[in-house]
Amino acid sequence: MKHNDSIGCTVTECKYHCKDHNYCTLDYIKVVKHTSDAKDVESTDCGSFEPQ
């Protein structure tokens, strides 16, 4: 499966995870926030995630 060298990913449960390497196979991802003012890494997530 071809991966995107610009998007590293270790979430193996995602359907877009490259099974051979820790990268995403999407051309781009959408980053979303959980709070109105994101101030730390815990406030954001990959909105492109889809379970396998």
Side-chain angles (χ1 to χ4, degrees), residues 6-39:
S6 297
I7 307 174
C9 181
T10 59
V11 183
T12 58
E13 298 82 4
C14 183
K15 77 183 238 181
Y16 301 115
H17 183 269
C18 180
K19 305 309 174 213
D20 299 326
H21 306 284
N22 282 330
Y23 288 98
C24 183
T25 59
L26 293 173
D27 292 331
Y28 68 94
I29 61 169
K30 179 179 181 181
V31 178
V32 297
K33 60 183 179 176
H34 300 286
T35 59
S36 60
D37 189 22
K39 295 187 179 201

